[in-house]
Amino acid sequence: MTTYANQCAIVGVGESERSRNSGTTPLHLALDAARNALRDAGLEARDLDGIMNYSTGGDSCTSHELATYLGSRPKYVKDISGGGSSTELLIADAVALIEAGELETVLIYRAMNGASGHQVGRGYDPDLLQGMLPGGSFVMPYGSASPSQWFGMFAMRHMHETGTTKEHLGHVCVSFYEHAQRNPKAFLHGKPLDMETYLATPDISTPFNIHDCCVELDEANALIVTSAGNAKNCKSRPVYIMGMAPRHTHSHAHYWTQVDEVASDHAAPALYQSAGVKPEDIDVAAIYDCFSWVVLRQLEAYGFAKRGEAGDFVKDGNLKMGGRLPSNTAGGMLSEGYTHGMNNVLELVRQLRHDYKGTDRQVKDCELGICTGWSGPDLAGAMILRN
Amino acid sequence: MTQATKYEKPVPLKTLDNHPYWDAADRHELALQKCSDCKGYIHPPGPSCPSCGSPATEWENLGSDISATVYSYITSYRPFLPGFQHDLPTVITVAALDVAPEVKIMANIIGCPAEEVEIGMPLKMTWTDITPDRALPQWTPSRSQN
Ligand SMILES: [Zn+2]
């Protein structure tokens, strides 16, 4: 079994430009992100001996392509199919391979034309998707093809049982949009959101309106993992991997037959056991936020609020700067950008390095951070990082 | 044969594991897969029992008088698949069967204004003939509702 115990660290993070229409390919975006991560770490392309990436429906370039044009000659490349929680999964794999002595330094990336290329839940061939999706024949004929509809089914039951309201969802959005106003690179920088506007916005699919949904963009992110020993020689301040729950599962692949359970419920205890810390020890968070409600449900799963109390936890300002758990401080996927979670990891690393010290974006003196990944109610991973 | 009316929505795909369910639906009946060992229902149908892993499964015909309760639902105001642009808003529910509440069957709720749908609402199964040889199980409010 892998013992994380700070034996590896994230030593470099980088991203490409983000836009609605990159005018270029995922390979170009990936190269920009990878070069920025290498520069951040003070490493050369030749220092990478492993490259991994995740993609959905062939929306990225391969690790081999990236390696080729980066001028790197890795001995290990891996391309997996996956969305949310793939970042955590691949970091766990990298740590295991580094600990096994197989690899030294691994670059992990996510590159996508998420706005100008094909989009999740849109533009798929319905018959193809019926075959691809577990139990798709029981879902697609009824018009359910979007994650907003799949996750909405969980949200509506949870809100009914706990008394969580639309306004509670709105507080998640308002909190993260507020963070985006401090981040000039956030896609919705300059576009703050107030509760009145939020509540006046019509739903796309209950309980979600446009603000409850992530901003789909063209962009690439990359990060570099190496051993704690190597990390000391890097340019950046290392952020250590304290514990992980790589990727846990819901009890059924056809997860919408059981809407009271999410995979995060299973990832959470494993995560805290792995890291040897408790929720109250955490200073800063990156909570997967493809939809607002997903944040509330994870706050409950990961022990930051009791069942039914996450809405009030957020309403009380706890995800904002100065709150109990400043979260998604770059704006999150709701307002910064959307790379199936990796952009939130990049921000968490920068917070733990105190990159924003002396500005109002820095979570003061933060030492421990949690990052949660959510592929859906079906798959979830998470990690705890420290400086 | 050619289709008499143009049906734009996805037609349920019959597969190795699920075809008895859809064959029964075409006859306006509900058939559920059941584990021959632990006796639990298996829905959606699969190659073995997700509760105990047993590969021994059988099918039970529950007939055409099927009642259930709304467990959760969503209302979509945009079409996410072809054909649904004519049917907005679309209400999709997961309904718990009254005889076996652990079995949740997803379908639309038809014959009911979207704003009247609520969790706990009683439903009965109805079948819509979508092509000359295929029928789609749907939920509709049960008549006994006050
Ligand atoms: Zn069984």
Side-chain angles (χ1 to χ4, degrees):
Chain A
M1 183 187 157
T2 306
T3 50
Y4 297 94
N6 311 315
Q7 297 190 55
C8 290
I10 297 172
V11 293
V13 292
E15 63 263 272
S16 69
E17 296 280 314
R18 58 170 60 96
S19 70
R20 281 276 193 228
N21 190 353
S22 68
T24 186
T25 64
L27 175 58
H28 280 266
L29 295 171
L31 282 163
D32 289 347
R35 288 180 184 129
N36 285 333
L38 286 166
R39 199 171 299 123
D40 183 51
L43 292 171
E44 302 291 330
R46 293 269 173 182
D47 295 325
L48 302 174
D49 54 5
I51 300 185
M52 305 177 179
N53 102 100
Y54 60 97
S55 60
T56 60
D59 64 356
S60 183
C61 59
T62 67
S63 296
H64 191 181
E65 279 183 284
L66 179 66
T68 299
Y69 295 107
L70 210 50
S72 160
R73 297 292 173 265
K75 60 178 181 178
Y76 189 103
V77 287
K78 172 152 78 178
D79 305 297
I80 67 159
S81 171
S85 76
S86 299
T87 309
E88 291 76 13
L89 175 68
L90 291 180
I91 289 174
D93 289 1
V95 170
L97 287 159
I98 291 167
E99 278 196 39
E102 184 65 35
L103 297 178
E104 287 211 6
T105 303
V106 179
L107 182 131
I108 299 168
Y109 70 97
R110 174 73 174 114
M112 60 199 280
N113 278 327
S116 67
H118 81 225
Q119 287 164 298
V120 176
R122 267 178 268 167
Y124 287 66
D125 176 314
D127 281 347
L128 191 72
L129 222 159
Q130 278 196 70
M132 279 165 49
L133 205 68
S137 307
F138 293 85
V139 176
M140 309 282 293
Y142 301 106
S144 184
S146 160
S148 66
Q149 298 171 301
W150 305 335
F151 306 172
M153 201 68 85
F154 286 69
M156 292 290 280
R157 179 72 196 185
H158 174 264
M159 292 167 75
H160 170 79
E161 282 189 13
T162 61
T164 301
T165 64
K166 179 77 181 168
E167 192 170 337
H168 284 133
L169 304 190
H171 282 293
V172 174
C173 305
V174 168
S175 301
F176 292 177
Y177 274 62
E178 186 177 299
H179 292 314
Q181 307 320 309
R182 292 185 205 94
N183 174 13
K185 289 182 174 173
F187 191 69
L188 295 180
H189 179 75
K191 295 187 175 161
L193 177 68
D194 60 35
M195 185 58 75
E196 197 184 338
T197 308
Y198 171 82
L199 290 174
T201 306
D203 284 343
I204 295 168
S205 186
T206 55
F208 304 129
N209 68 35
I210 187 76
H211 302 296
D212 295 297
C213 307
C214 57
V215 285
E216 291 172 302
L217 298 172
D218 297 352
E219 71 173 286
N221 297 162
L223 58 84
I224 298 169
V225 179
T226 192
S227 65
N230 284 342
K232 290 190 180 70
N233 303 319
C234 289
K235 194 177 84 182
S236 60
R237 178 178 182 177
V239 170
Y240 297 96
I241 297 157
M242 208 178 179
M244 296 206 77
R247 194 175 238 180
H248 285 248
T249 61
H250 186 283
S251 57
H252 204 302
H254 191 90
Y255 54 84
W256 40 87
T257 57
Q258 217 299 39
V259 301
D260 300 316
E261 171 195 345
V262 297
S264 312
D265 296 336
H266 309 299
L271 173 72
Y272 291 118
Q273 188 184 21
S274 165
V277 300
K278 298 188 183 73
E280 50 268 36
D281 300 324
I282 309 287
D283 303 312
V284 58
I287 302 182
Y288 200 89
D289 57 334
C290 49
F291 298 98
S292 56
W293 173 82
V294 168
V295 174
L296 296 180
R297 186 64 180 80
Q298 289 174 98
L299 287 170
E300 294 182 4
Y302 289 97
F304 295 103
K306 292 202 181 89
R307 179 170 168 78
E309 295 177 10
D312 282 340
F313 181 82
V314 178
K315 185 182 176 185
D316 292 343
N318 282 306
L319 304 190
K320 296 186 177 188
M321 298 303 285
R324 159 69 194 88
L325 188 73
S327 299
N328 303 26
T329 50
M333 299 195 289
L334 293 179
S335 54
E336 186 199 31
Y338 173 62
T339 50
H340 287 116
M342 200 184 282
N343 56 312
N344 285 352
V345 180
L346 267 47
E347 172 67 5
L348 187 67
V349 167
R350 288 170 175 147
Q351 283 289 356
L352 291 167
R353 298 195 313 204
H354 298 177
D355 279 10
Y356 307 117
K357 197 169 180 174
T359 76
D360 61 359
R361 187 168 165 186
Q362 180 64 48
V363 176
K364 205 162 172 278
D365 302 327
C366 62
E367 292 177 8
L368 279 191
I370 186 172
C371 177
T372 75
W374 161 289
S375 176
D378 52 338
L379 301 168
M383 60 184 171
I384 289 174
L385 305 178
R386 53 148 285 215
N387 58 22
Chain B
M1 70 182 277
T2 55
Q3 290 185 7
T5 52
K6 192 164 167 252
Y7 187 73
E8 293 176 49
K9 296 173 182 175
V11 174
L13 207 60
K14 291 184 183 180
T15 67
L16 176 67
D17 296 323
N18 75 23
H19 71 87
Y21 178 93
W22 295 113
D23 291 344
D26 293 341
R27 302 189 304 267
H28 293 203
E29 291 174 339
L30 175 67
L32 288 177
Q33 193 184 27
K34 207 169 183 178
C35 176
S36 306
D37 285 319
C38 77
K39 307 295 179 194
Y41 287 114
I42 303 168
H43 186 77
S48 55
C49 172
S51 298
C52 74
S54 169
T57 64
E58 58 204 53
W59 284 85
E60 185 177 307
N61 193 317
L62 284 81
S64 300
D65 186 13
I66 307 298
S67 61
T69 304
V70 174
Y71 194 75
S72 190
Y73 72 97
I74 58 156
T75 307
S76 294
Y77 296 93
R78 275 192 207 167
F80 291 91
L81 285 169
F84 288 90
Q85 69 275 16
H86 307 306
D87 259 340
L88 295 176
T90 307
V91 178
I92 309 171
T93 185
V94 285
L97 286 192
D98 289 346
V99 293
E102 72 279 12
V103 177
K104 309 283 196 304
I105 297 180
M106 187 184 287
N108 302 121
I109 299 179
I110 60 173
C112 178
E115 58 275 13
E116 288 176 20
V117 173
E118 56 184 13
I119 288 175
M121 179 176 168
L123 302 169
K124 63 179 288 195
M125 191 171 274
T126 183
W127 287 264
T128 306
D129 294 317
I130 54 174
T131 70
D133 52 0
R134 296 298 303 274
L136 187 68
Q138 292 285 27
W139 295 113
T140 192
S142 64
R143 290 179 210 283
S144 61
Q145 193 192 3
N146 294 322

